[in-house]
Amino acid sequence: MKWILPLLLAVAVPVPAAASTACRTIEQLTPDERLGQLIMVGGDVSRAHEVHAGLVSLPDMPDVRSAAEFTRRQGKDVLVGGDFEHGAIQGIGGTTAYPRPMGLGATRDPAKAAAAALGTATELKQAGVGLNLAPLADVNSNPQFPFGVRSYGEDPGLISRMVTAQVLAYRSAGVVPAVKHFPGHGGVNADPHWELPTVDADRATMDRVHFPPFRAAIAAGAPMIMTAHVVLRAVDPDLPSTLSSRVITGILRSEMGFDGVVITDSIQMGAIKERWGIADASVRALKAGADVVLSTGLHSDHVAIRDALQAGLTQERIDQSAARVLKLKCQYRGQGLSTRVDPDPIAQASITLLDNRSKALPFNSQARTLVAGVMDVEPLAQAMGANWWQASSENPTDAEIAEAVRRVEDQVLVATYSRGPTLPEGQVKLVHALKAAGKRVAAVSLGVPYDVNSYPDLGAALAAYAQTQVWGPLPPANGTVMKALARVVFGAQPGGKLPVTVSARYPSGLGLRY
């Protein structure tokens, strides 16, 4: 994969707008069409045409054919996109799953990050999708409230290299990458889906830790950046960044020199909706320097946002952002590199061996094996050819733990999960109870790798960075990572190194081998 980055550096230059006669200009659009360029419609997309939406989110689709039919129906002038942070599989069935960003960070290899992006872009183009709301430039700087496996890690340098690689890959493929979430989600103290977070870091810390990945993205030619609904106290203590001209116009545009398209995160998130309302917030965001409002609600929300923008902005301001969007569409028309990228070597290079003092790993492939845990247990067990047991929640009861112990086999892999720095008490008890049963036992953290701090004396632990539940129902298991994990458990060499500091015993950069 080492050939990928030099190639991307050579070809990551979209065709300039002036070189295409098919591009529409602002003068060719009606006032309603100009206004529609300022809205990306998600949620209820069935009537997106009624607001002349210039961008539309792809609903979950069962396969590439269905997705391609959806994009065809939107029309050639609509840019269709979505969140595909670890592959097209996030919204299109039958496509490829790549490791999540922290798994890519664990590979420490920008070429692998670029390969994953190129493979993703290739499948998106087959579906007619031209926009990926990725990569993520957020630095996982607060272990007490970790951003999770959606971040590449805690090192701004590593994240900058990974973001650069993926931006170049998407550009080379002719797919728009939207780098997010400016000015950085990693140091927050709450989840903006529900409440308004704050970042208490001073300006010097922001310049040293959180801004470098975004500067790197801009230097790599990132055409779109998504804002975060976080209050950056050092810059604007009164408004979230999405609504702050000090952040968007002052820092992103003036200081960093970004002249591409700025899109908001979903305006329906609790951090914004509950305090400002979606209509007023949308106008504030555009006045602050954003170009596109991401609306993921009902059709009535989309209409309310359109009406508010029409009433609250001058035609000159509408035209300014509409022109940016039209230029973006002209430059990125799905023309560029396309290739299938095998995800398996990337995934195996991400699996991290944290501890093997007990020599429990690797497991004997001929012995009877049980996989026990709280989520994604069945797909992991299937990949391993093992029996399985799963608790009914993330905090197993004493009765459930007793049942797991009754099912113990010659060797047991415990799959733990947490989004935070510590495990629920029931999971800690589960690990200890299975270890006390006297069998060969190892554990794997399926989410953030901090789980190992809750069972430091187990003596055998892996990190897979495979799962995260941000909101809504639990996402499907990452089959690619499950298969890679199974191979490592039975003796394939783990390739990952921790991209975050877990503790003094488990520092960033740790990655054992058999």
Side-chain angles (χ1 to χ4, degrees), residues 17-24 28 330:
S20 174
T21 58
C23 297
R24 294 200 299 172
Q28 294 173 309
C330 181

Side-chain angles (χ1 to χ4, degrees), residues 16-37:
S20 174
T21 58
C23 297
R24 294 200 299 172
T25 64
I26 194 72
E27 293 78 17
Q28 294 173 309
L29 270 61
T30 67
D32 286 343
E33 289 173 330
R34 297 180 191 189
L35 192 61
Q37 305 305 309

Side-chain angles (χ1 to χ4, degrees), residues 1-9 84-88 96-99 104 107 109-124 132 135 152 161-173 337-347 349:
M1 295 181 183
K2 297 298 183 184
W3 58 269
I4 290 180
L5 279 179
L7 178 61
L8 298 183
L9 286 168
F84 306 101
E85 296 167 10
H86 66 275
T96 304
Y98 293 94
L104 293 177
T107 72
D109 187 353
K112 289 184 173 62
L118 185 56
T120 298
T122 297
E123 293 185 330
L124 291 179
N132 189 0
Y152 294 105
R161 293 189 292 275
M162 292 298 191
V163 167
T164 294
Q166 293 213 311
V167 166
L168 289 174
Y170 284 115
R171 291 185 61 210
S172 299
L337 291 177
S338 294
T339 185
R340 184 188 181 279
V341 175
D342 184 358
D344 292 338
I346 303 174

Side-chain angles (χ1 to χ4, degrees), residues 67-91:
E69 174 59 23
F70 174 86
T71 58
R72 186 194 64 77
R73 291 199 308 269
Q74 304 314 303
K76 62 181 178 63
D77 295 321
V78 174
L79 181 61
V80 177
D83 290 295
F84 306 101
E85 296 167 10
H86 66 275
I89 190 65
Q90 278 188 255

Side-chain angles (χ1 to χ4, degrees), residues 262-286:
V262 175
I263 184 172
T264 73
D265 207 341
S266 170
I267 210 72
Q268 278 85 2
M269 287 186 184
I272 298 294
K273 183 178 181 179
E274 299 305 320
R275 297 198 181 197
W276 289 275
I278 59 172
D280 182 47
S282 296
V283 175
R284 286 172 175 261
L286 267 291

